[in-house]
Amino acid sequence: MTAGRGRRGRATTPRRAPRRHVRRRSRTWAGVAGALALAGLVGGAVAEAATGTLPPVLRAAHAPSGRVPAAPPGTLQDEFTAAAAEFHVPVQVLLAVSYQETLWESHQGEPSATGNYNVMGLTSVAATDLAPPTAAQKTADLVAAGDLTVPSAALLSRFETVDTSAPALHTLDAAAALIQQPDAALRGDPRQSIRGGAALLASYQQAAGGGLPTDPGRWYPAVAAYSQGPDPAAEAQFADRVYATVAAGASRTTDDGQAVALAADPSVKPRIPAALSRAAVAAGGVSRSLAAAPVRSAPCEAGVATGLGSCSFVAAGAGNAAPANRPGDGAAIRYLVLGGTTGSAASAVSTYATPGAGVSAHFVVAATGAVTQQLRTRDVAELTGNDSVDAHAVGVQTESYPLRSGSWIDEQEYASTALLVRDVAAANGIPLDRDHVLGQDDVPYPTADGMTAAHAAPGPYWDWSHFLDLLGVAPDGNGLPVVGGTVTVAPRYTAADKPVLTGCGGACTGHPADFVYLRTAASSSAPLIGDPSLAAAGLPTSGTDGSDTSDKAVYGQTFVVAAVSADGAWTAIWFGGRKAWFYNPGGVNGYANGDPSQDLVSPKNGTAIPVYGRAFPEPGAYAAAGAGSAAAQQLVPLPYTIEPGQAYPSSGELTGDRYVGPKDVIGTTQYYAIRYNHRIAYVAAADVQTTKPAVPPSGAFVPVAAQRIMDTADGTGGVPAAPVPADGRLVLPLSGVPATGVTAVVLDLTVSSPAASGAVTVYPDGRKRPGLATVDYTAGVTASTPVTVPVVDGRLDFVNAPVPGIADGAGIELRADLTGYFTMSGGGGPFHTAGPVQVLDTTAAPVAASAARSDSVRGGRLLPGGSVTLLVAGRNGVPRNATAVILNVTAADAASYGSVTVRPYGSAVAAVPPAASTVSFAEGQAIARQITVPLVDGRVQFHSADRVGAVGGFTLFADLVGYYA
């Protein structure tokens, strides 16, 4: 079985989601994800709610305010006020219930993964809404997760099922009857959803015998009933969270632009009945029980559910797990693996409790937030089908149904999962990052044969950004990606960023997502990367299918930067043995990491090395541990390698081991766990060398007008006036920068017409040569690339490394233009993201509000010899004291060959303009380049070269990416 967004100050918002499994013959995907903000998540939190305080881990998700902003007429805020008055429900209660269900989101009328709808999260699930897995698909899921090969008919009958007759799945129907509206209105119209929710709350309150009091504290029984929890503890947990929200307040702007606020009111004191009788709070004929709910027994394990108000223990059946004593037996618990049930939580719990099912998880989290523990964390679950992960993991399965159109996940499910993960991680010292908190789609393929059984959960719409926010570990960084450094994928979540996805029975509804597509080149028209091994296994690759993991990098995953495009808009990472590009202008889709402590691994001896899906001990370790040599498994590599010049981030070194019966066989073979592609993997420590990543330079940036500081064609810079031979090294004394205080320089590095393909590595003189290339080059192609290089002793080393087997005749000409430097000695300023936003378009009339045009522009084209001055400072968020700007400059539709140079305002036109600030093009080409240019009087100038034979001009565009101030 296969088991959020609050980024950069933006409100969280929900999204569509995938099915949680991949089956070889079933390419459909559906499932769950949503952007939710955690509020008041504390079991037994009534005391805290009464004082208006929340535990520190929960406070950040609230935006409390003493005043509710005035809402314009007809807003969502008005609808809450009107419905509260119509049905005599305290407006604080109505707002807080909706917030805890959906964060006030309508979800465009689409259902959640468990059949909740619209602002109030009312439920409606019919048998026709489901696409239930077949017996063959259920069998495949059971076999993929555990050791069972032929499940019984009885087991299949209870596995991955949903009891659609359960009244708890039809609260929308009950609410529709109360307000005499069709079901469709409550699904699609926020106003009718709010009215229905208010009417249902009122009916629950009256059934509890409490009338319709004006005191919001006396509505506790109705709020508890609204949760549809499987037992009183789950109901009370929901009510506690609602009243904590009433006390602390909340405010946010929804995905459709509705600003909603709930003023903090710590004076509200919830009046909790001595006993919550499920029968007493039934209303409208809606029974409060789920027929398939398991019998609850002992409470959860001490120390792993401290923030939960509802956690029960139902033991997994015999044969479904390996009894162990982790970590006391030497097997560290290092992973938390999240998956999904593809059926009701009750169905999953029942399956795991069935003796001989051969599958299990430690915890199951229901949509109501109720948690069931089935294994002690010390035991080993049959969870993912990968022994090396299962032996060191705690598994958490979250509830989701095989709905045909499930599109988000209930806030309560996110809330309880976050609190559970936090506690288990704290108890076991598990880092809360994406190398240790995994989806099942992060788990390595165990072998090539195991690819078809691997899971794709939680899928492309699971909201990792929001989930990491809830855990208090949202990634952060500053500056732009640097080659040899690391970047953490963190895509924007806006209505303008809706990647195309298929596999929802056709094209999926457009929705923001927490992944970026990876391409073979720095262009939106370049093909998506693929994986030949997945293609050979009959799995989707190099496409837009939601279950295709070959071409997607997901929020929170960290990779090594392989290159940055000349225009700076694209970042390449090492991904699955190749260079993969994603759109990242100004770092909008990825954080450049400033922590130099993480190890990077690369091949040790200049040859390709194998990649493994498991980290097993050497064969001799089994007999030595008393497990018998027959238990030994041969370690077979995956059909992947790491080539020289590539590097991958490691989460640490580990010792190979494998659980055999009750014993953990621990060998002596050492491995590194790495982020290889969408999934993690392992490499043998003996095969690799470790280095530290480059980091964005410290200090303030000082831009300079681009100047040539090295040229092997004429000896500029004091280097030999000759090509750099194969494996040759140049040492360049830096010029154009201060003698002290410089931490890094920004260069535009040009390789001219190389005879063979290869790479150039640039690094501080006197330091160990890194295993990662700085710039790749292709035979016969002249190309310029911006690079940022640390400075240690005022000198840089340049090493030419052609492809293996090339020696004589593989020399290259190198040029370097200095465009700026970073210093700790004052002056300059830090980098700030701005845009991307277009600031110049010569086809516009006028050219732009900030562009002073002249006769140089005619018919929307910049003519040869012409210039355009652009005022940048004081516009588009660029302050008037900015010292430099970063622009993506594009020349297009050229009538003939030519070039355009960007220079500080008022500076002289250079006879030979430096490549770093020039865009050169041929007839008909469209060429883009990122250029950093100092500001003079807040302005820059664009000058078109007046070349012999140049006619007709070209169209010119400039997009602002960022600035220094």
Side-chain angles (χ1 to χ4, degrees):
M1 297 178 65
T2 60
R5 173 112 207 153
R7 160 157 156 67
R8 296 178 181 167
R10 287 193 283 273
T12 57
T13 39
R15 65 209 48 192
R16 191 175 174 81
R19 180 174 295 175
R20 304 297 187 91
H21 301 273
V22 173
R23 303 181 178 96
R24 186 166 188 169
R25 294 184 177 85
S26 176
R27 296 278 67 85
T28 336
W29 55 280
V32 298
L36 310 168
L38 186 59
L41 308 187
V42 52
V46 175
E48 301 220 51
T51 63
T53 63
L54 293 171
V57 71
L58 308 175
R59 291 176 190 152
H62 280 82
S65 170
R67 298 186 302 165
V68 177
T75 64
L76 196 63
Q77 187 96 40
D78 286 338
E79 301 295 356
F80 279 108
T81 301
E86 179 182 1
F87 295 100
H88 307 287
V89 179
V91 69
Q92 305 103 304
V93 171
L94 188 60
L95 280 163
V97 166
S98 175
Y99 188 84
Q100 283 294 330
E101 288 282 353
T102 69
L103 294 181
W104 303 320
E105 291 288 351
S106 69
H107 307 285
Q108 297 77 49
E110 295 187 37
S112 76
T114 48
N116 303 77
Y117 283 89
N118 220 295
V119 177
M120 295 303 296
L122 297 166
T123 58
S124 179
V125 181
T128 54
D129 296 327
L130 303 175
T134 65
Q137 291 168 338
K138 290 183 180 184
T139 298
D141 283 345
L142 286 166
V143 171
D147 290 333
L148 194 64
T149 56
V150 184
S152 67
L155 178 61
L156 292 177
S157 69
R158 68 170 61 93
F159 181 52
E160 294 182 343
T161 61
V162 179
D163 179 8
T164 57
S165 68
L169 300 186
H170 296 281
T171 61
L172 185 145
D173 310 326
L178 288 172
I179 64 172
Q180 299 183 4
Q181 289 287 326
D183 289 3
L186 278 73
R187 290 189 181 97
D189 185 347
R191 176 173 181 268
Q192 298 303 335
S193 176
I194 295 170
R195 292 185 68 240
L200 201 61
L201 277 167
S203 70
Y204 289 158
Q205 183 66 18
Q206 289 177 317
L212 298 175
T214 58
D215 177 5
R218 293 179 60 189
W219 282 73
Y220 193 96
V223 172
Y226 195 95
S227 73
Q228 301 298 312
D231 55 34
E235 294 174 336
Q237 174 178 264
F238 177 76
D240 290 348
R241 292 173 179 176
V242 167
Y243 277 95
T245 301
V246 170
S251 64
R252 67 185 300 271
T253 300
T254 66
D255 192 33
D256 52 5
Q258 293 281 340
V260 185
L262 169 62
D265 190 354
S267 68
V268 173
K269 310 294 183 184
R271 311 295 174 86
I272 306 173
L276 277 174
S277 167
R278 292 166 61 149
V281 294
V286 178
S287 165
R288 301 293 303 125
S289 66
L290 282 170
V295 177
R296 304 273 158 176
S297 57
C300 285
E301 180 178 344
V304 299
T306 58
L308 295 169
S310 174
C311 190
S312 301
F313 189 90
V314 177
N320 297 344
N325 187 33
R326 303 181 305 172
D329 57 6
I333 299 175
R334 63 174 70 104
Y335 302 120
L336 277 149
V337 180
L338 307 184
T341 60
T342 316
S344 70
S347 168
V349 170
S350 175
T351 299
Y352 300 157
T354 301
V359 65
S360 58
H362 294 84
F363 298 93
V364 177
V365 182
T368 60
V371 175
T372 302
Q373 184 175 9
Q374 301 207 255
L375 292 171
R376 302 301 181 188
T377 56
R378 64 175 180 254
D379 296 325
V380 177
E382 293 286 356
L383 182 68
T384 71
N386 187 312
D387 291 348
S388 288
V389 172
D390 288 356
H392 300 279
V394 169
V396 180
Q397 299 288 86
T398 57
E399 185 173 27
S400 64
Y401 303 161
L403 289 168
R404 300 181 188 277
S405 58
S407 59
W408 49 281
I409 191 169
D410 192 281
E411 171 67 1
Q412 295 306 296
E413 194 165 348
Y414 261 124
S416 291
T417 304
L419 289 169
L420 180 62
V421 166
R422 182 201 64 182
D423 283 354
V424 174
N428 293 280
I430 303 172
L432 291 174
D433 60 43
R434 289 287 281 111
D435 290 326
H436 297 88
V437 181
L438 308 175
Q440 288 196 330
D441 57 349
D442 290 300
V443 173
Y445 303 115
T447 63
D449 291 340
M451 286 181 168
T452 57
H455 303 292
Y461 290 129
W462 174 268
D463 196 347
W464 281 109
S465 57
H466 174 59
F467 193 70
L468 294 179
D469 280 346
L470 301 187
L471 295 176
V473 292
D476 200 358
N478 56 69
L480 298 175
V482 294
V483 175
T486 61
V487 61
T488 298
V489 175
R492 298 175 298 177
Y493 184 66
T494 69
D497 296 279
K498 297 180 179 179
V500 174
L501 279 168
T502 55
C504 303
C508 305
T509 302
H511 217 292
D514 260 0
F515 74 93
V516 292
Y517 274 122
L518 301 173
R519 299 187 179 274
T520 59
S523 169
S524 59
S525 62
L528 297 171
I529 65 169
D531 186 331
S533 298
L534 292 182
L539 296 173
T541 182
S542 189
T544 57
D545 192 288
S547 64
D548 179 6
T549 59
S550 70
D551 53 15
K552 300 175 183 69
V554 178
Y555 191 100
Q557 294 178 344
T558 297
F559 300 93
V560 176
V561 178
V564 178
S565 64
D567 64 0
W570 292 78
T571 299
I573 56 177
W574 292 116
F575 184 95
R578 66 186 303 177
K579 191 179 291 184
W581 294 86
F582 70 96
Y583 187 61
N584 191 33
V588 298
N589 286 324
Y591 287 116
N593 297 313
D595 181 4
S597 64
Q598 185 174 28
D599 282 331
L600 308 183
V601 301
S602 56
K604 178 181 290 185
N605 297 316
T607 58
I609 63 170
V611 175
Y612 299 97
R614 299 177 293 190
F616 281 169
E618 64 279 4
Y622 293 86
S629 58
Q633 282 209 11
Q634 188 69 32
L635 186 64
V636 178
L638 294 170
Y640 302 123
T641 60
I642 297 176
E643 300 292 328
Q646 298 180 9
Y648 295 83
S650 171
S651 59
E653 190 172 7
L654 52 90
T655 302
D657 69 337
R658 180 169 178 259
Y659 255 94
V660 180
K663 184 185 295 292
D664 185 29
V665 177
I666 302 175
T668 59
T669 304
Q670 295 298 111
Y671 297 87
Y672 282 97
I674 64 171
R675 171 62 66 175
Y676 182 66
N677 50 21
H678 193 101
R679 300 175 184 270
I680 64 170
Y682 305 101
V683 291
D687 291 341
V688 301
Q689 61 178 340
T690 61
T691 58
K692 297 299 182 182
V695 297
S698 57
F701 179 73
V702 178
V704 299
Q707 55 185 279
R708 183 69 43 83
I709 62 170
M710 184 184 77
D711 191 340
T712 60
D714 59 15
T716 297
V719 299
V724 184
D727 296 320
R729 181 170 69 98
L730 289 180
V731 179
L732 174 69
L734 284 171
S735 60
V737 300
T740 61
V742 175
T743 61
V745 291
V746 181
L747 306 176
D748 195 83
L749 187 63
T750 303
V751 182
S752 296
S753 301
S757 298
V760 175
T761 300
V762 189
Y763 56 100
D765 182 60
R767 292 294 178 90
K768 179 183 177 182
R769 175 182 169 183
L772 186 68
T774 306
V775 175
D776 293 324
Y777 59 82
T778 303
V781 177
T782 295
S784 299
T785 305
V787 299
T788 301
V789 188
V791 174
V792 176
D793 64 356
R795 300 188 300 175
L796 300 180
D797 288 3
F798 298 74
V799 175
N800 173 29
V803 293
I806 302 295
D808 296 338
I812 57 172
E813 298 284 4
L814 281 178
R815 296 194 304 269
D817 295 328
L818 176 72
T819 61
Y821 60 90
F822 290 83
T823 179
M824 300 298 291
S825 300
F831 170 78
H832 303 271
T833 298
V837 59
Q838 189 174 82
V839 292
L840 177 64
D841 178 356
T842 58
T843 67
V847 172
S850 58
R853 64 178 295 175
S854 67
D855 292 340
S856 299
V857 178
R858 186 179 305 146
R861 305 170 72 81
L862 180 60
L863 301 179
S867 296
V868 169
T869 299
L870 180 69
L871 175 63
V872 182
R875 302 172 184 271
N876 298 303
V878 179
R880 297 188 184 279
N881 67 339
T883 59
V885 290
I886 300 178
L887 302 173
N888 283 343
V889 180
T890 304
D893 193 25
S896 64
Y897 73 94
S899 63
V900 59
T901 300
V902 189
R903 65 180 194 267
Y905 174 64
S907 62
V909 178
V912 181
S917 57
T918 300
V919 179
S920 299
F921 47 83
E923 180 180 349
Q925 279 189 321
I927 301 295
R929 183 179 184 83
Q930 185 176 99
I931 295 175
T932 301
V933 57
L935 292 176
V936 175
D937 195 24
R939 293 171 166 83
V940 299
Q941 284 185 311
F942 300 80
H943 179 74
S944 173
D946 190 10
R947 296 185 177 183
V948 175
V951 295
F954 55 92
T955 54
L956 181 65
F957 308 92
D959 293 330
L960 175 70
V961 172
Y963 64 89
Y964 293 92

